[in-house]
Amino acid sequence: MASDVNTAFAREKSDQLEAARAEARAFQDRIDRGDIAPIGGDRYRVMTGWDAGETFTVQRDAEGRIEELLAQHGLDTTSGGAALYTSTPAWHGLGAVIPGGITEVDEVLKLGRIDWAVDKRPVLYEWDDGIRAADDRYVTVRRDTGGALGTVGGRYEIFQNERIFQFLQDLVQRYDAVWESAGALRGGRKVFVTMRIPHSIVIDRGGLDDEIVLFLAAINSHDGTSAAESVVTPWRIACGNTERFAIRDAVHRWGIRHTKGGLTTLSEARRSLGLTMAYAKKFEAEENRLVQTGLMVDDFHKLIDTLWTVDEDAADRARTAACKRHEELDGMFRDQAGQLGRNAYAAERTITDYLDHRMRVVPRTLSEELARAQRSLEGGTDDLKSKAHRELLVLTR
């Protein structure tokens, strides 16, 4: 059968133009909703969710169409390199990587480029008769570069970078801990330290032996905008985004005010850490209940329909997409069931894997990797993961 190449070409270009217009409309909708805001040039700031404040850059082609969304790693670079030490390579490929990690605090401080101290200097202002000092107002200043980090009051106590390491060591009462990551964000305004907790969560011990590693992190601010925080989280902090993810996904966290006794009173921090480990044991028990709960393929299909509802009057395109998603998830579940058994845990792993690595991303002109990074930046799949976990727990009862 002969084909009209001119008609085919016209149809293809029409589809491309419509896709570009749809992409532009979707991006503008996010601006109109207040989810993101332009901050000059091709840079935008996330305005909602746990990642409010993060920025990204939009790269466009010659015709103004979006090609890439580039998330900002946020690491401090004022010392000439990225301020990061990590035991595992990060997604951005920056920092000093020491496989297996090290235990020496001084070495981590140096490798993470946070071996500097902070001072408080009086806030000065110019007046007719010269320079005056503001009452009870101080600037926090990096001792190595002289860079101003923030403005604080007289009662504000500086937590030096080295002291944060000592705090975590005292908290867990271990001085041979392996440090997983350390570094600075936003010009040194925030500093983070992460150690691995010796007690991991193990799903189906003696069977699957599926391990979930938890980390104890301290996030300290030098700009006076927030208290220091300790969090127990599955995230190893390695950039501005994972710092936010660590706080968002923390199984427990507690703040430490910048006062003289802030880092010396450990009883409350140890109580909070104890509560966290109790929560981790509860989560481990929930996951083990999922392992022990058989799940038929039909039940998994019902879970898919619960997570992704399709309206009766949905367009054919939406129905086709739902059908493809259904088929892909069905195949993934059967694969997981072959490895983990046909149970609720395999179903949860399937949903998580799909949301993290397989779910289609928009706009379609983005590369898969960058688009997924942007979706992670905004935490777009967290609610679905939590809903899947709750729905599957219902089956265990």
Side-chain angles (χ1 to χ4, degrees):
M1 179 178 177
S3 61
D4 185 343
V5 294
N6 297 287
T7 301
F9 175 78
R11 185 183 302 114
E12 180 180 338
K13 296 305 293 182
S14 177
D15 290 344
Q16 289 175 352
L17 290 172
E18 177 55 33
R21 284 192 289 267
E23 171 195 313
R25 286 195 299 269
F27 194 77
Q28 186 60 46
D29 284 346
R30 294 171 64 196
I31 297 175
D32 294 341
R33 289 196 306 267
D35 294 339
I36 58 176
I39 56 176
D42 286 327
R43 297 178 66 243
Y44 294 81
R45 177 175 288 114
V46 180
M47 304 301 294
T48 60
W50 286 105
D51 293 302
E54 287 293 348
T55 62
F56 62 93
T57 300
V58 176
Q59 289 191 350
R60 303 177 186 271
D61 62 17
E63 298 179 2
R65 292 173 299 196
I66 297 174
E67 287 187 321
E68 294 181 341
L69 300 183
L70 303 177
Q72 308 298 303
H73 55 70
L75 293 169
D76 171 36
T77 56
T78 56
S79 61
L84 174 68
Y85 149 81
T86 178
S87 65
T88 304
W91 63 269
H92 42 60
L94 301 175
V97 180
I98 307 296
I102 53 180
T103 60
E104 294 298 324
V105 172
D106 290 343
E107 189 67 14
V108 175
L109 285 165
K110 182 178 179 181
L111 290 170
R113 295 176 181 265
I114 54 173
D115 54 342
W116 39 266
V118 178
D119 292 326
K120 284 198 310 186
R121 299 293 178 90
V123 171
L124 305 178
Y125 63 96
E126 187 176 355
W127 193 244
D128 292 340
D129 58 354
I131 303 297
R132 298 185 181 184
D135 292 339
D136 201 40
R137 302 302 297 168
Y138 298 86
V139 178
T140 51
V141 179
R142 282 182 59 159
R143 199 178 291 174
D144 62 333
T145 65
L149 302 177
T151 305
V152 299
R155 297 177 62 186
Y156 179 92
E157 186 74 12
I158 293 172
F159 296 160
Q160 301 293 356
N161 297 338
E162 185 176 7
R163 184 68 184 88
I164 295 297
F165 285 85
Q166 295 171 356
F167 169 75
L168 289 187
Q169 288 178 325
D170 293 341
L171 180 60
V172 299
Q173 297 177 302
R174 288 190 60 176
Y175 300 90
D176 60 345
V178 174
W179 301 104
E180 293 288 337
S181 68
L185 304 167
R186 304 175 185 95
R189 292 171 178 81
K190 280 194 175 182
V191 173
F192 58 86
V193 178
T194 310
M195 70 162 57
R196 177 172 173 164
I197 291 179
H199 308 292
S200 301
I201 295 173
V202 180
I203 312 303
D204 194 24
R205 193 180 298 273
L208 298 175
D209 280 330
D210 198 3
E211 183 181 27
I212 299 174
V213 176
L214 292 175
F215 299 95
L216 175 61
I219 303 167
N220 180 37
S221 67
H222 285 306
D223 59 4
T225 60
S226 62
E229 277 196 301
S230 288
V231 302
V232 175
T233 175
W235 285 91
R236 177 192 292 107
I237 302 178
C239 64
N241 297 333
T242 46
E243 177 244 332
R244 291 179 176 273
F245 296 156
I247 295 175
R248 182 194 67 201
D249 295 338
V251 293
H252 199 83
R253 63 179 180 269
W254 56 95
I256 307 164
R257 297 182 63 186
H258 283 263
T259 60
K260 286 188 177 180
L263 293 179
T264 57
T265 305
L266 291 168
S267 57
E268 180 61 23
R270 287 194 181 121
R271 188 182 76 85
S272 296
L273 181 60
L275 290 173
T276 297
M277 299 317 297
Y279 178 90
K281 289 182 179 179
K282 178 184 176 184
F283 177 75
E284 183 177 31
E286 289 179 350
E287 295 297 285
N288 279 302
R289 280 163 53 194
L290 296 183
V291 171
Q292 296 161 10
T293 302
L295 192 75
M296 302 298 291
V297 173
D298 286 347
D299 293 325
F300 181 70
H301 290 171
K302 291 177 183 178
L303 175 64
I304 297 173
D305 295 337
T306 300
L307 296 177
W308 289 278
T309 58
V310 180
D311 296 334
E312 292 183 1
D313 58 348
D316 291 342
R317 187 173 182 178
R319 290 182 178 278
T320 300
C323 184
K324 289 182 178 179
R325 176 177 59 234
H326 197 282
E327 291 176 355
E328 183 171 9
L329 281 164
D330 177 85
M332 291 175 65
F333 175 64
R334 293 175 188 273
D335 289 342
Q336 287 280 13
Q339 302 173 40
L340 307 174
R342 188 167 291 178
N343 52 48
Y345 182 63
E348 183 177 58
R349 283 280 297 268
T350 298
I351 297 298
T352 300
D353 185 48
Y354 176 79
L355 292 172
D356 285 345
H357 306 294
R358 306 282 287 275
M359 191 168 76
R360 299 293 182 263
V361 293
V362 291
R364 293 181 178 180
T365 52
L366 296 180
S367 73
E368 289 285 305
E369 182 179 359
L370 288 168
R372 291 185 204 287
Q374 178 60 22
R375 184 177 62 207
S376 296
L377 178 68
E378 297 178 349
T381 61
D382 297 340
D383 290 343
L384 280 175
K385 292 177 185 177
S386 297
K387 186 176 181 179
H389 184 73
R390 291 194 302 268
E391 292 290 334
L392 290 167
L393 277 180
V394 171
L395 299 177
T396 69
R397 303 191 186 109

